[in-house]
Amino acid sequence: MREAQPALGFIAPDYNATVTRAVHWAVPFWMRQTTDLQQVEAKHLETLVQAYEQFEAGKIRLVLAFRHPSVNDPLALGYLFSQLMPPAAKDLGIKLRTPIHSHFMYDRGVPLWAGEIMGWLFSRLGGTSIMRGKLDRAGLKSARNLLLNGQLPFMAAPEGATNGHSEIVAPLEPGIAQLAFWCAEDLAKAQRSEQVVIIPIGLQYKYQHDAWPNIEALLTDLEAQVGIVSPDQGKVEQPLMYARLAQLGEQILHLMEQHYSQFYHLKLATIDPALPPSQQFAQRLQQLLQTALSVPEAYFNVTPKGSMTDRCRRLEQCAWDNIYRQDVDLDHLSVIERSLADRVATESEMHLWHMRLVERFVSVTGSYVREKPTIERFAETMSITWETVARLGGESSSLKRPKIGQQTATVTIGDPIIVSDRLAQYQTNRRQAKQSVETLTQELQTILEDMIV
């Protein structure tokens, strides 16, 4: 971003059934031609079909809380709605309205990197935008209205963003639980009889065939980019591959530690050499992430507060405030004022670079592959590393990701959680309301984690 832009506006939902049908028709072709994802399977699909039947009968307001490990999740869920649910409903003798779909909430930043056309498309598919780094009153009001009055169920990812790990659930955000309780309150005030129900949805990806040769080729390419020449190139034995992956991670970590200490004059503490190598790596990585975040926090004059995810969101919003200007009319600035505004936008975008690096590593443990060296864990770690190296090399994160092998996505439908049954306790007092939201959020966390196989 080299120039200041007009303020980011809220993108309101404008559901269009014709557009949705067209997208549903295209999902299988789009999925198989542009991604590794070739097949989608579902477990306990009858639970979801029956919930839709209850929703359409006016008995419940339905929230779908889905896991979000991958950028391919929307395609997997689109396949679920368009290809799997219609025959499942027919087998159960249930007639659902078509197209089978849902409203959904998405990050306002998606159309910034995916293109403005995505904002138009998401709106026509019934999506409502939300800004993650501040109190977005328009976004929350829209989501609350869709959950209460929308013609479709409402879907959102309580993790907030992808974490790149099929087998690690990121800490859930409380937004889904809070929206569900608000909806239960709104229904009670309106003297409506519907119950608010949350259905957890797990998502996990598996490779269909041996992907080790492709993983090894990607590993060799990344080694070359960071200056490593391994004598084991071309070999796909797992112990050798893990050793090379560990060396690659160590080299990237070393280069970044050196970068921040030499050019940003930030001192990194010495890690206890008596610790096992994996623990040393994990501590060094966490220290590096803290250091990287401190650079944009100093620039934007932001006090570190909350989790790393919270800090990343806050920094993103600070940058957006400097780039997408609400405080000035860009068309009526003098030449010098406009030039200064453009400079601020450029510098803000540059400082976001540090935050984007941290964002990709928030869920990285340093032991994910060592604990279970499967194709899936290797591939997920390689994908995160590829994106990191691409960013370090100045490439756009929207570049087409390398294909590793054909995948199957398994969508697991969990048991319904009736939120309305908890409303009385939620309404006891402000403290109890907060506790009720936290308890429901943690319950969702546990359910989604238990779905991982």
Side-chain angles (χ1 to χ4, degrees):
M1 187 64 63
R2 301 295 180 183
E3 297 180 347
Q5 304 291 319
L8 281 177
F10 166 67
I11 304 177
D14 185 16
Y15 178 68
N16 185 299
T18 301
V19 172
T20 302
R21 287 191 180 92
V23 170
H24 279 194
W25 174 84
V27 159
F29 307 98
W30 188 3
M31 180 181 82
R32 292 179 177 126
Q33 293 299 316
T34 64
T35 75
D36 283 344
L37 185 56
Q38 301 297 302
Q39 185 177 351
V40 180
E41 301 173 343
K43 295 180 179 179
H44 313 304
L45 188 53
E46 67 279 359
T47 299
L48 187 59
V49 171
Q50 290 163 356
Y52 263 72
E53 181 185 34
Q54 289 183 303
F55 175 86
E56 293 183 4
K59 296 178 180 179
I60 64 171
R61 302 303 300 178
L62 182 57
V63 184
L64 309 178
F66 71 96
R67 269 235 57 207
H68 201 7
S70 167
V71 293
N72 293 334
D73 299 340
L75 287 172
L77 293 169
Y79 193 97
L80 175 81
F81 288 136
S82 63
Q83 309 300 315
L84 302 184
M85 284 189 68
K90 184 177 180 181
D91 289 345
L92 291 169
I94 295 174
K95 186 173 179 59
L96 298 179
R97 294 194 296 262
T98 58
I100 301 172
H101 193 59
S102 71
H103 292 293
F104 58 95
M105 185 162 54
Y106 66 94
D107 175 22
R108 179 61 181 85
V110 171
L112 301 182
W113 59 261
E116 291 184 6
I117 186 62
M118 294 307 295
W120 179 91
L121 181 61
F122 283 0
S123 174
R124 299 315 185 274
L125 290 174
T128 186
S129 70
I130 191 78
M131 290 191 179
R132 303 182 299 177
K134 69 174 186 179
L135 180 60
D136 184 354
R137 297 185 185 278
L140 286 174
K141 182 179 179 181
S142 176
R144 190 168 177 173
N145 179 62
L146 286 176
L147 184 50
L148 180 66
N149 298 311
Q151 59 182 300
L152 301 167
F154 186 81
M155 181 169 62
E159 289 170 283
T162 60
N163 73 350
H165 296 76
S166 271
E167 298 180 43
I168 295 178
V169 180
L172 302 193
E173 298 178 358
I176 296 298
Q178 184 61 77
L179 281 170
F181 277 115
W182 281 342
C183 184
E185 279 194 314
D186 292 340
L187 289 169
K189 289 176 183 178
Q191 297 184 337
R192 288 168 53 179
S193 61
E194 301 105 304
Q195 288 188 315
V196 179
V197 174
I198 295 178
I199 291 187
I201 298 179
L203 262 169
Q204 192 168 351
Y205 295 86
K206 297 285 186 181
Y207 284 92
Q208 298 175 351
H209 309 291
D210 181 7
W212 288 115
N214 291 340
I215 292 175
E216 195 283 329
L218 180 57
L219 179 56
T220 297
D221 177 64
L222 293 174
E223 286 172 333
Q225 294 190 55
V226 301
I228 295 176
V229 179
S230 172
D232 296 319
Q233 287 182 4
K235 301 176 182 178
V236 295
E237 291 85 351
Q238 287 187 31
L240 297 177
M241 294 272 284
Y242 178 75
R244 291 171 62 190
L245 179 61
Q247 183 184 26
L248 176 64
E250 170 68 30
Q251 176 70 350
I252 294 173
L253 187 57
H254 169 71
L255 291 174
M256 295 309 299
E257 288 173 333
Q258 191 176 55
H259 175 74
Y260 280 103
S261 62
Q262 181 176 352
F263 297 104
Y264 291 90
H265 315 294
L266 298 172
K267 185 176 178 58
L268 284 82
T270 302
I271 303 299
D272 184 357
L275 291 172
S278 61
Q279 290 187 28
Q280 290 186 44
F281 183 89
Q283 288 192 16
R284 288 172 60 197
L285 176 60
Q286 289 304 308
Q287 181 177 238
L288 176 64
L289 299 184
Q290 297 281 356
T291 300
L293 278 186
S294 72
V295 175
E297 284 174 339
Y299 174 77
F300 292 116
N301 194 27
V302 173
T303 302
K305 183 180 179 182
S307 66
M308 282 196 181
T309 298
D310 294 334
R311 292 164 66 184
C312 286
R313 301 275 169 80
R314 198 173 300 115
L315 288 169
E316 181 180 59
Q317 190 59 51
C318 287
W320 285 2
D321 289 343
N322 284 356
I323 298 170
Y324 303 96
R325 301 292 293 272
Q326 293 181 321
D327 57 329
V328 294
D329 183 349
L330 296 175
D331 292 332
H332 292 85
L333 295 181
S334 67
V335 173
I336 295 301
E337 288 174 323
R338 179 61 196 236
S339 178
L340 290 173
D342 291 344
R343 180 173 292 277
V344 168
T346 299
E347 291 181 354
S348 296
E349 180 71 19
M350 290 174 63
H351 278 84
L352 268 186
W353 180 87
H354 305 277
M355 186 278 287
R356 296 297 181 206
L357 283 177
V358 173
E359 193 175 42
R360 295 311 303 146
F361 280 92
V362 165
S363 295
V364 172
T365 65
S367 59
Y368 186 61
V369 176
R370 179 175 58 83
E371 293 171 351
K372 188 179 177 182
T374 60
I375 286 178
E376 287 74 27
R377 293 197 177 196
F378 255 99
E380 288 167 3
T381 302
M382 292 302 303
S383 294
I384 292 173
T385 306
W386 171 84
E387 185 171 344
T388 301
V389 171
R391 284 190 182 278
L392 294 176
E395 300 290 351
S396 168
S397 64
S398 61
L399 283 176
K400 189 174 181 180
R401 298 166 187 268
K403 288 193 172 186
I404 293 176
Q406 295 183 340
Q407 287 181 310
T408 295
T410 300
V411 184
T412 303
I413 311 302
D415 293 331
I417 301 172
I418 303 175
V419 180
S420 298
D421 290 348
R422 310 177 187 211
L423 181 59
Q425 188 176 32
Y426 170 84
Q427 292 180 319
T428 302
N429 53 51
R430 187 181 297 273
R431 182 177 180 180
Q432 186 56 55
K434 181 180 179 182
Q435 181 61 49
S436 295
V437 170
E438 291 175 353
T439 299
L440 179 53
T441 300
Q442 183 55 53
E443 185 175 335
L444 272 173
Q445 179 96 31
T446 301
I447 292 170
L448 292 174
E449 288 174 346
D450 288 345
M451 289 178 176
I452 295 172
V453 296

